[in-house]
Amino acid sequence: MNPRAPLLAGLTLGLFGQPISAAQPLLLNETSITDAYLEERADGLVQGYRANRSATATRTDTDLRDTPQSIDVVPAQVIKDLNTTRIDRALDFAGGVSRQNNFGGLTFLNYSVRGFTTGELYKNGFAINRGSYSAPDTSNIERIEVLKGPAASLYGRGDPGGLVNIVTKRPQAEAFSTLTLSAGSWDRYRTALDANSPLDSEGNLLGRINLAVEDNDSFRDHVGSERRIVSPSLSWQLSPDTRLMIDTEFSRTESVFDRGIPAVNGEMGSVKRSTFLGEPNDGEIRNDNQTLDVALEHVLNDNWTLRLANHYTQGTLKGNSSEPQALVGTTITRFYRERDFEWNDNITQAELHGQFELGGWQHQTLVGLEYENYRNSQKYPQSATSAAYGLDIYNPVYGKPKPAITRANDFFEHTESYAINLQDQIAFTERLRGLLGVRLERFEQTSQNRTTGLSNSQEKDVATPRIGVLYQLTPQVGVFANASTSFKPNTIGTQGQVYKPEKGLGYETGVKLDLLDSRLGATIALFHIDKENVITTDALGESVAAGEARSQGLDLQFSGQLTDALRVIGAYAYIDAEVTKGDAALPKGSDLLGIARNSGSLMGVYEFQDGALRGSDVGAAVNYVGERSGQAGSDFTLDAYSTVDLLAHYKASEQVTVGLNLNNLFDRKYYERSYNSAWVLPGEPRNFSVSLTLSL
C-alpha cells in the first residue's frame, strides 16, 4: 500500500456533537476528595490515570468506592500516552484481560476476562458485539471500563468472566479542535481530528466530531489495512429538565485476512515472523459498520429521572481469503473461502432512576426495560482443504489456481429478547452499603441452514440475580463481596440441534484502597467462577451441553497521580482456569485456551512541571504475559514474554506537541495469541511512531 495523506478539507460537517449528561442522582456517598473528584462524571473526562466514578457496574453514576464489584477504568490519557489506535494495548492495564482469537485481524472478536473467553463488547451500555463488528478505533474513546465477573443482571446474555464497555467522548461547552498526525514503522500513517463546538449562542446545542484516517503496512509480508471512521455526536438541552443525545459512527476497515504462522513439531521459532501463508491476490476484506444511538433523558423531579434510548447498528463484511489449516511436513494445507456477511441489531431501552428513604435506609433504584431484535446472515462458501493448494512454510510460492467451492455454508439467525432489570443500591449506614439486582429475560432464537433448508428455534426464560455488599473499614479501606450469575444461549447446531444455554456463577471478595491523600486508588480481589453446559461430545461423538469449566484466582489494578509530576497505572492477575468436566477432545484438567497463569503490566509517566520542558513528559511501560495454552485440549503452549515500551512528548508551545513512542525496545520475539498450532499470531518486532498534535 502506498502512503497517502488523508483529506481533511472536506470535514466541515458542522455537526460537531456529544451527548448531554442527565441530571445527577443523589449520590450515596458525597464525600469530597479533590476538585477533580467533584467535577468527574461517569460519562466524562478523567483527569490523569485515575477514575473515581463509573456507570458500567450499576447503570447509575456511582463512586467506584461504593460499588461492591471489581471494575477497572482505563482512561483516554493512557490511550494517548501509548499512541495506540486499537483497544487491545489499553486493556493490558486492566488486569486479568488477555487477547484471544481476532478473526484474522478483521474484528475484535474475542478476548478473555478472568479466564473465560468472551466477545462481550459494549459502547455506552449498548451491545456492539453482534455480527462481525470491526475492532473499535480509539479516536472517539473517553474511557474503557472492564466489569469483572458475571454481568447478566444488567446486560443479559454473555460469558461469566466479564465485559468491556467503551464510553465515548462527550461534547463540551467550550470550543476546541485538535489535529493529530502520526507516522511509524512499516509505512503506518494516520490523521485524526477532534473538533468540538457549541452550535447556538445559549450553549444548549453542543456538537463534537471525531475523525480518523489511516493507511498501514505491517511487519507481516503482504499484510496491511486501511481505515476511515467518522463519529459525530450531538447534545441538545431541549429544556432545563430534558436533554436529547445523538451518537453516530460510520466506519470502513479494509484489511488482509491473516491467520499468522504455524508451530513446527509443537515449537515456535523456525518459521519467520513475517511469513504470510494466505494468498496476496485475494485482496482485502472490507468491513463496513454504521451505528446510530438516540437517548432522551428527562428529570421528573429532584429524585426521579426517566431515560429512553435506542441503538441501531448495521454492517457488512465482504471479501475472500485463502486460509491455512494444518501442517503436513513442511506444507501447510489451505482452503479458499468467500465471505458475504450482513447483520443489523436494534435495541430499545427505557430506564427509571430514583432515590428515596425507606426504613431509615437510603435507596437508589433502577427499573429498566429492554427489547432487542437481531438478524445475522452469513454466507461463506469454501473449498475443501488440500495440500495441492498449500504452501511450503519456508519458501511459499503464491498464485496457485483457486480450488473449486464444495461447501455452500449459508446460514441465517434471528434473535429477539425481552427483559426487565430491577436494581437497588442501599446505604444501610455511613459505612455499610449493599446492592441487589436481577434481570428477567425471555430469549427467542431461530437459526436456519439455507443450504439444507433445516431450521430450528429455542425459547428460554431466564432470571439472573446478583447481590453485593461493601463495608468501609476506614476512609481509605473498604472491603466488599458479591455473587452473580450469567447465561449464554448455545448456538443452534448446523443440523438444527438445540442445546441448553451456558450458565455461570461467580463469587468475588476484595478490598478497595484510597491511598496517598486520594492520589492512588487500587482494587484487589479474589474470585471463583464456574461455567456449565459447555458444548462437548458424548460417547457416540454427538454434541451435548455437558461440559464444565472453572476459573479462580486473584487480580489487582491500581492507578493514580503519585506526585504532581508522576502518574502511574498497573495491574496483575493470577488465574487458574481449567476444564472440570470435558470429553476426549478437551479432557478434564485441560487448561483453558490462551489463559496465562501470571500476567502483569505497569506504566509510569513523568511530566515536567517547570522550566523549558514544562508540560513535556517521558515514560515507560512494561507488559508481562506468562506461559499459556496455544490449543485447547493439547500440550501446545505459547511461551511467556515481556515487552518494554518507551514514550516521550515535547510540548513546543501551547498549540504544538511532538510525541515519540518506541515499542518492544529490546525486540523480543514473542507470540501474542493463537487459536491452534496452525494459527499463531506473532507479536510486533521493535517499532516506533512519531506524532504531531496541533491545537487549532
Side-chain angles (χ1 to χ4, degrees):
M1 281 176 286
N2 295 321
R4 51 181 178 268
L7 300 177
L8 298 175
L11 304 182
T12 57
L13 298 179
L15 297 170
F16 313 118
Q18 143 200 350
I20 75 181
S21 70
Q24 296 272 349
L26 179 66
L27 304 177
L28 296 181
N29 183 352
E30 298 187 83
T31 304
S32 300
I33 304 287
T34 64
D35 291 341
Y37 173 81
L38 291 174
E39 293 171 359
E40 185 183 330
R41 294 180 47 84
D43 61 356
L45 177 68
V46 177
Q47 298 293 328
Y49 283 175
R50 185 189 178 185
N52 293 291
R53 310 194 68 79
S54 171
T56 297
T58 61
R59 290 193 180 271
T60 64
D61 191 332
T62 302
D63 187 341
L64 288 172
R65 299 171 304 173
D66 292 338
T67 306
Q69 190 168 351
S70 292
I71 178 168
D72 296 338
V73 180
V74 183
Q77 186 65 55
V78 173
I79 296 170
K80 179 181 178 182
D81 288 343
L82 293 171
N83 193 29
T84 182
T85 64
R86 303 293 188 267
I87 69 174
D88 303 58
R89 291 197 66 209
L91 290 173
D92 290 338
F93 298 92
V97 181
S98 57
R99 304 175 190 184
Q100 300 288 316
N101 178 31
N102 68 344
F103 194 27
L106 299 182
T107 72
F108 188 73
L109 185 66
N110 290 129
Y111 59 97
S112 68
V113 183
R114 287 183 168 175
F116 287 110
T117 298
T118 179
E120 300 308 309
L121 182 65
Y122 287 73
K123 183 179 290 184
N124 298 327
F126 287 110
I128 59 171
N129 62 330
R130 313 304 192 226
S132 300
Y133 187 83
S134 62
D137 193 275
T138 58
S139 59
N140 192 36
I141 294 179
E142 194 72 79
R143 55 169 83 185
I144 303 169
E145 304 189 345
V146 181
L147 178 61
K148 297 180 178 179
S153 67
L154 280 180
Y155 295 96
R157 60 188 186 273
D159 289 285
L163 60 82
V164 170
N165 182 42
I166 294 170
V167 179
T168 59
K169 295 178 179 178
R170 304 298 188 188
Q172 307 297 313
E174 301 295 326
F176 64 83
S177 295
T178 303
L179 176 66
T180 303
L181 309 171
S182 64
S185 301
W186 312 301
D187 291 331
R188 294 179 172 178
Y189 302 91
R190 180 178 168 97
T191 299
L193 175 68
D194 182 359
N196 178 90
S197 177
L199 302 179
D200 66 357
S201 58
E202 293 79 20
N204 292 325
L205 187 61
L206 306 175
R208 190 169 183 171
I209 187 169
N210 279 270
L211 307 106
V213 183
E214 65 180 34
D215 192 345
N216 303 318
D217 279 345
S218 165
F219 74 98
R220 302 271 299 139
D221 298 338
H222 310 290
V223 175
S225 65
E226 301 174 33
R227 168 163 285 197
R228 311 288 183 266
I229 186 167
V230 55
S231 306
S233 57
L234 187 70
S235 172
W236 189 4
Q237 194 75 40
L238 299 173
S239 75
D241 297 327
T242 307
R243 180 178 296 179
L244 176 68
M245 298 164 289
I246 301 174
D247 290 278
T248 60
E249 183 175 285
F250 308 90
S251 69
R252 170 170 292 178
T253 302
E254 296 173 289
S255 58
V256 174
F257 192 90
D258 180 22
R259 287 292 195 186
I261 59 177
V264 179
N265 297 321
E267 300 290 335
M268 303 300 302
S270 62
V271 181
K272 294 190 298 183
R273 287 182 288 180
S274 62
T275 303
F276 177 60
L277 297 174
E279 192 63 42
N281 64 21
D282 287 337
E284 297 176 325
I285 295 179
R286 192 173 83 185
N287 192 340
D288 290 335
N289 293 265
Q290 303 88 40
T291 301
L292 171 65
D293 294 345
V294 180
L296 185 69
E297 296 178 351
H298 179 68
V299 179
L300 301 173
N301 54 44
D302 290 342
N303 296 321
W304 294 91
T305 300
L306 179 66
R307 174 180 176 270
L308 302 174
N310 185 259
H311 165 87
Y312 179 79
T313 185
Q314 63 182 23
T316 60
L317 187 147
K318 301 179 185 294
N320 309 325
S321 60
S322 301
E323 303 179 32
Q325 181 67 24
L327 188 63
V328 182
T330 62
T331 297
I332 191 81
T333 63
R334 298 190 306 174
F335 62 90
Y336 175 69
R337 176 178 286 170
E338 301 172 349
R339 288 184 179 85
D340 185 357
F341 295 179
E342 296 185 23
W343 65 91
N344 62 77
D345 191 36
N346 190 69
I347 304 173
T348 301
Q349 296 175 346
E351 294 178 347
L352 181 64
H353 302 255
Q355 58 197 9
F356 56 90
E357 182 178 340
L358 181 65
W361 298 343
Q362 294 292 326
H363 298 259
Q364 186 168 319
T365 64
L366 165 70
V367 180
L369 300 174
E370 183 176 278
Y371 168 73
E372 180 176 5
N373 192 329
Y374 167 60
R375 290 177 169 85
N376 185 21
S377 171
Q378 293 193 347
K379 300 177 181 178
Y380 49 99
Q382 68 184 63
S383 73
T385 301
S386 70
Y389 191 59
L391 292 176
D392 188 308
I393 58 176
Y394 301 115
N395 184 30
V397 178
Y398 308 108
K400 295 180 179 180
K402 296 291 190 288
I405 298 296
T406 58
R407 295 171 57 186
N409 293 337
D410 187 351
F411 302 95
F412 176 76
E413 177 190 353
H414 180 210
T415 301
E416 289 185 272
S417 62
Y418 312 81
I420 179 171
N421 293 331
L422 304 172
Q423 178 181 272
D424 193 11
Q425 297 169 258
I426 310 169
F428 298 106
T429 69
E430 285 296 316
R431 293 190 176 190
L432 180 62
R433 307 181 188 277
L435 183 149
L436 295 170
V438 66
R439 181 179 172 107
L440 307 174
E441 183 165 355
R442 180 171 180 80
F443 176 89
E444 300 174 356
Q445 181 187 36
T446 300
S447 181
Q448 180 182 11
N449 185 330
R450 290 183 293 203
T451 302
T452 65
L454 294 174
S455 65
N456 213 324
S457 61
Q458 58 179 332
E459 301 177 358
K460 300 290 182 182
D461 296 306
V462 183
T464 48
R466 73 165 169 169
I467 184 172
V469 62
L470 183 146
Y471 186 76
Q472 200 70 35
L473 294 173
T474 72
Q476 295 78 34
V477 181
V479 293
F480 69 96
N482 65 70
S484 53
T485 58
S486 72
F487 92 102
K488 181 180 180 181
N490 277 305
T491 302
I492 297 174
T494 59
Q495 303 305 312
Q497 307 96 316
V498 175
Y499 307 106
K500 297 178 182 178
E502 291 183 351
K503 294 183 179 181
L505 175 61
Y507 305 94
E508 178 186 32
T509 186
V511 58
K512 297 195 176 191
L513 304 174
D514 188 46
L515 307 173
L516 306 178
D517 294 327
S518 295
R519 289 183 174 271
L520 182 70
T523 299
I524 307 170
L526 296 168
F527 63 89
H528 181 102
I529 305 172
D530 291 303
K531 182 166 73 168
E532 61 182 30
N533 295 340
V534 179
I535 298 297
T536 63
T537 54
D538 61 19
L540 301 177
E542 300 293 331
S543 295
V544 292
E548 297 178 2
R550 181 267 298 149
S551 179
Q552 59 188 14
L554 173 147
D555 58 28
L556 70 90
Q557 198 269 352
F558 60 89
S559 60
Q561 196 80 28
L562 297 186
T563 69
D564 290 344
L566 181 62
R567 57 183 180 267
V568 297
I569 187 171
Y572 167 77
Y574 170 84
I575 300 174
D576 176 16
E578 66 176 29
V579 175
T580 53
K581 184 179 180 181
D583 56 17
L586 195 60
K588 179 181 178 180
S590 299
D591 291 338
L592 298 187
L593 176 66
I595 308 302
R597 191 161 292 240
N598 292 278
S599 61
S601 59
L602 175 65
M603 181 163 69
V605 178
Y606 181 88
E607 182 175 325
F608 297 94
Q609 300 299 296
D610 48 38
L613 294 177
R614 182 178 181 179
S616 303
D617 59 45
V618 295
V622 180
N623 187 47
Y624 171 80
V625 179
E627 184 181 79
R628 59 227 181 271
S629 170
Q631 179 171 320
S634 80
D635 58 1
F636 172 60
T637 60
L638 298 180
D639 290 338
Y641 70 89
S642 59
T643 58
V644 177
D645 304 333
L646 301 180
L647 62 96
H649 298 89
Y650 173 63
K651 194 173 183 64
S653 69
E654 290 299 320
Q655 291 76 37
V656 180
T657 300
V658 180
L660 173 65
N661 290 78
L662 181 60
N663 303 317
N664 194 2
L665 172 66
F666 300 108
D667 199 21
R668 300 295 191 193
K669 189 175 184 178
Y670 67 98
Y671 303 89
E672 70 171 33
R673 66 179 93 204
S674 69
Y675 184 71
N676 55 41
S677 61
W679 297 350
V680 183
L681 187 65
E684 291 185 345
R686 181 168 52 229
N687 63 94
F688 76 94
S689 64
V690 294
S691 61
L692 175 65
T693 302
L694 305 173
S695 298
L696 306 177

